[in-house]
Amino acid sequence: MHFLGVDVGGTKTHILIVDELGNVIVFDEGPGANYQGVGVEKAYQTLKQLIEKALKSASLKLDELDASFFGVAGADFEYENRIVKSILERLGLKRYAFDNDGRIALRSGTLDDIGIMISCGTGGINYACDGKRMERIGGFSTFFGERLGSYIIAGKVASAIVRAKDGRSENTVMVELFESQVGSKIEDIMHHEYEGDYEKMRDYAVLLIRTLYSAARDHDFVALKILCEIVDEVVRIVGAFRKILNFTPPIKLVLEGSFFKNADPILLNMICSALGRGYRLIVPKHPPVVGAVLLAGELVGYRFNDRAIENLISFWGDQR
């Protein structure tokens, strides 16, 4: 048996083909295929080309895929789901399904769908399941309540630097740390944000987050305050899920997304301290697309056993 998993993001798309024993046949990364960013036709063409490339590498034909599952960023509302469905049905897959990308991240991180998943990548989204009910919290935009996301956090750092320079906020070593990295004043990069140069701003966001951690390790008050805001939001999300779901400790808390996967231990230790006992913190090495192939198997009534799952995630050096 062969299963296809696809994680459709705005900046990148992951393709994974595995067999029933959890052997990775193909794992590949391509450009973003989210229709909200590239348009419907470009999204279809990108997915078609990536799947064809993966099948060629695997020496498989399209009808040899027993089932496929797609995690799609931005698949939030019914009208969006209709558009996603119209794209996927053109691919000619024998059996497929899709859901929001947060859904596959929950499955990938917990491996059994029981626990809480908080994602902080380009944006943020949160899913949880207690074995009986599955719930989602957030995953929209800053305007509609989000406080996590690499771009949001980088913005907090940039704001703190500018405000420290003009005297509106406390002094912070992040001013010198950041400006020495870029070789210019922070004011000199502002035009990239104003002009909508998101690719350049993503690069600066990475540097701003590195600056945050460097300053926190030096016990900088402002940097530590920003980390506290992040921890507070994590605790709030966990608390919100625990009000509506029933978990038996230890509760698996999966921290997914580029921000958490590259987090300094200082942040992870702060999260553990704030939550207290009763939680098992998981920062997966393997990507969320793993959850997509696990869900693909279930479409045809196949559940990967523990040995197959161990085999699968060991491809990325992860162990459970």
Side-chain angles (χ1 to χ4, degrees), residues 8-311:
V8 185
T11 57
K12 64 180 180 297
T13 298
H14 280 161
I15 299 277
L16 178 63
I17 297 177
V18 305
D19 65 17
E20 73 276 11
L21 300 179
N23 295 310
V24 173
I25 311 302
V26 174
F27 173 65
D28 199 8
E29 180 179 308
N34 187 319
Y35 83 90
Q36 294 169 327
V38 301
V40 170
E41 188 58 30
K42 181 65 174 179
Y44 162 69
Q45 291 295 339
T46 300
L47 288 173
K48 182 174 181 292
Q49 291 166 12
L50 288 173
I51 292 172
E52 288 176 348
K53 179 184 175 185
L55 288 171
K56 184 176 181 180
S57 297
S59 299
L60 293 172
K61 296 179 181 179
L62 191 64
D63 61 5
E64 291 181 285
L65 293 173
D66 292 272
S68 307
F69 198 96
F70 295 75
V72 184
D76 299 316
F77 303 104
E78 183 56 35
Y79 73 91
E80 294 169 321
N81 290 336
R82 287 197 297 268
I83 295 172
V84 173
K85 185 177 180 181
S86 73
I87 295 170
L88 300 185
E89 65 187 7
R90 296 170 61 188
L91 296 172
L93 296 162
K94 183 164 55 179
R95 175 172 274 234
Y96 73 91
F98 72 94
D99 205 331
N100 187 277
D101 59 339
R103 173 68 186 90
I104 66 171
L106 173 67
R107 184 54 180 271
S108 174
T110 61
L111 298 177
D112 62 2
D113 263 345
I114 300 177
I116 298 170
M117 188 285 303
I118 300 175
S119 179
C120 182
T122 303
I125 192 167
N126 318 289
Y127 268 77
C129 180
D130 60 6
K132 296 180 179 179
R133 290 173 54 200
M134 184 170 297
E135 296 287 345
R136 167 187 169 170
I137 291 175
F140 303 111
S141 68
T142 309
F143 191 87
F144 292 106
E146 296 315 304
R147 299 293 180 268
L148 292 181
S150 295
Y151 198 76
I152 295 172
I153 294 166
K156 288 178 179 289
V157 178
S159 175
I161 291 172
V162 172
R163 292 175 66 88
K165 290 186 71 175
D166 64 25
R168 284 179 290 168
S169 293
E170 303 93 345
N171 290 325
T172 171
V173 299
M174 292 192 292
V175 175
E176 292 78 15
L177 287 173
F178 179 72
E179 293 186 342
S180 65
Q181 287 187 82
V182 298
S184 65
K185 296 179 180 180
I186 193 169
E187 292 86 353
D188 295 336
I189 74 168
M190 290 181 177
H191 69 94
H192 295 294
E193 202 271 337
Y194 298 150
E195 295 165 1
D197 187 349
Y198 300 117
E199 185 173 346
K200 192 65 176 178
M201 288 307 298
R202 280 195 295 269
D203 294 337
Y204 284 125
V206 172
L207 293 177
L208 286 162
I209 290 170
R210 287 179 186 167
T211 298
L212 172 67
Y213 285 129
S214 294
R217 288 193 293 269
D218 286 341
H219 308 104
D220 180 79
F221 172 73
V222 176
L224 289 170
K225 190 164 66 171
I226 292 173
L227 292 186
C228 285
E229 291 174 2
I230 296 168
V231 174
D232 180 69
E233 183 65 7
V234 169
V235 171
R236 287 175 182 272
I237 293 167
V238 169
F241 277 128
R242 295 207 64 180
K243 288 178 182 177
I244 55 178
L245 297 173
N246 296 309
F247 294 101
T248 300
I251 303 168
K252 283 181 280 189
L253 174 58
V254 179
L255 299 180
E256 186 55 79
S258 57
F259 178 78
F260 285 132
K261 287 192 173 185
N262 295 298
D264 190 281
I266 189 173
L267 176 64
L268 302 180
N269 291 336
M270 288 172 70
I271 291 172
C272 290
S273 174
L275 287 172
R277 296 182 178 180
Y279 295 89
R280 178 187 166 202
L281 201 65
I282 299 171
V283 184
K285 294 179 182 177
H286 59 274
V289 72
V290 165
V293 293
L294 297 180
L295 290 167
E298 292 182 9
L299 291 177
V300 290
Y302 182 79
R303 291 188 69 90
F304 291 83
N305 60 33
D306 291 343
R307 185 171 182 178
I309 291 175
E310 190 70 25
N311 188 33

